[in-house]
Amino acid sequence: MKYTILTIAFCLIAIVESQAQISAGVYRFSSNTFAAIGSDPDRKVFGEARIATSSRIGLEGTLGYNFVQREEVNFYSGFHLGVKNSNRDDFYLGVPFGLLLKPFSEARNFGFLLEASPILRTDSGSGSFRAGIGIKYTFR
């Protein structure tokens, strides 16, 4: 059931991506490294699919809303839905708060991502806090 919900979330994100530019990123959050592909982060609503590439491989879908959109910075929040592959019951929800900084005026397609997110694990009801940094490039 949890995989079905996650699959539906990824399909919804894919629909958003089909109408937008594509972005790719690599992020280091707490003890995990994520590779990501998503829609244009400069749109008001954007989506992203992430795969954790550390010792515990997992999938995560993120849907975000830009509260502040400027040429050099975006501030966003939204929600995560994720599952860790090593344990079928390790399903989690999260609320990201992030900044996408685009410091180079000649290359606004390139940016640095700063994100923090409280995470709630649905199997145990326990929580954690994840924060990190990454790079993102938008193909236009």
Side-chain angles (χ1 to χ4, degrees), residues 2 80-83 88-94 119-127:
K2 292 179 182 181
H80 302 298
L81 291 172
V83 65
R88 291 183 62 148
D89 295 329
D90 201 2
F91 186 70
Y92 62 89
L93 304 169
I119 302 289
L120 174 65
R121 302 205 185 287
T122 58
D123 61 333
S124 64
S126 65

Side-chain angles (χ1 to χ4, degrees), residues 27 33 99 110 113 118:
Y27 317 133
T33 301
L99 284 174
F110 177 78
L113 182 88

Side-chain angles (χ1 to χ4, degrees), residues 12-89:
L12 291 174
I13 290 171
I15 290 169
V16 171
E17 289 179 24
S18 67
Q19 300 172 359
Q21 303 297 324
I22 302 257
S23 65
V26 177
Y27 317 133
R28 178 69 180 172
F29 296 134
S30 300
S31 61
N32 286 328
T33 301
F34 286 86
I37 188 159
S39 63
D40 188 349
D42 288 329
R43 299 189 96 188
K44 201 65 166 170
V45 177
F46 62 94
E48 193 167 67
R50 300 174 178 178
I51 184 167
T53 59
S54 64
S55 62
R56 297 186 70 193
I57 295 176
L59 296 173
E60 179 177 287
T62 300
L63 187 63
Y65 180 83
N66 280 314
F67 289 99
V68 175
Q69 286 181 278
R70 304 237 167 108
E71 191 171 318
E72 59 281 332
V73 66
N74 291 349
F75 171 74
Y76 66 90
S77 186
F79 69 92
H80 302 298
L81 291 172
V83 65
K84 297 227 174 155
N85 201 19
S86 62
N87 184 354
R88 291 183 62 148
D89 295 329

